[in-house]
Amino acid sequence: MATDGDFRLQDSRLLRVLPEVYQVAAESSLPLQALLAVAEDLHRPVRDVLDRVHTVPDPGRSPSSLIPFLSRWVDLDWLTLPGPESTGTGSAGIPVARQRDLIACAAGLSARRGTVDGLTRFLLLATGVPGFEVVSEPGAFHITVRVPAAAAGQIELIRRIVKGIKPAHVTDRVEVMDA
């Protein structure tokens, strides 16, 4: 709540949208100035939220608590929610920063879904580890995903991604490369 010293008539956002007769009267009317000060205080929390509303759909600036919501918006909730084979560790072991990257790149990943390049990019973004190799055997409807040794601890996540991204008719094998 503003005190008499905090409210400055010339800074009032509310006064600017009032009819001219109120603007003129506010210059000399202490009760109207007090009413404006109270109204400004009451509107401040709403204005603060509205001033930040553009950050909500931005995965880089959105609060961490909204990341699961944004994941659902871009159809990544299948990955970030715990799966049936999960050990109950939360969002499939993907740190929030990587979830933000996946959400930010979701359109491009979706456009390349089912391709070797798309799967390789998805694995890099989800694990943060470069060096994945995806080998597609032409005519065999089979892929082999070679996982760098640095990502061996994320094998459950990698299998989940491979199952979710590859075409349904394609079989797969996931193997960890030697260091």
Side-chain angles (χ1 to χ4, degrees), residues 7 9 15 18 21-27 29-37:
F7 180 73
L9 194 61
L15 183 61
L18 290 176
V21 67
Y22 287 101
Q23 294 178 20
V24 172
E27 292 175 13
S29 172
L30 291 178
L32 186 53
Q33 290 177 14
L35 182 63
L36 283 168

Side-chain angles (χ1 to χ4, degrees), residues 56-60 62-64 66-77 79-80 96-109 122 125:
V56 171
D58 181 351
S62 181
S64 296
L66 286 178
I67 295 301
F69 176 71
L70 293 177
S71 289
R72 184 162 293 198
W73 262 13
V74 295
D75 192 30
L76 287 175
D77 56 333
L79 179 64
T80 57
V96 173
R98 289 203 197 103
Q99 290 181 44
R100 290 177 188 277
D101 291 342
L102 284 167
I103 293 166
C105 296
L109 292 171
F122 201 111
L125 287 171

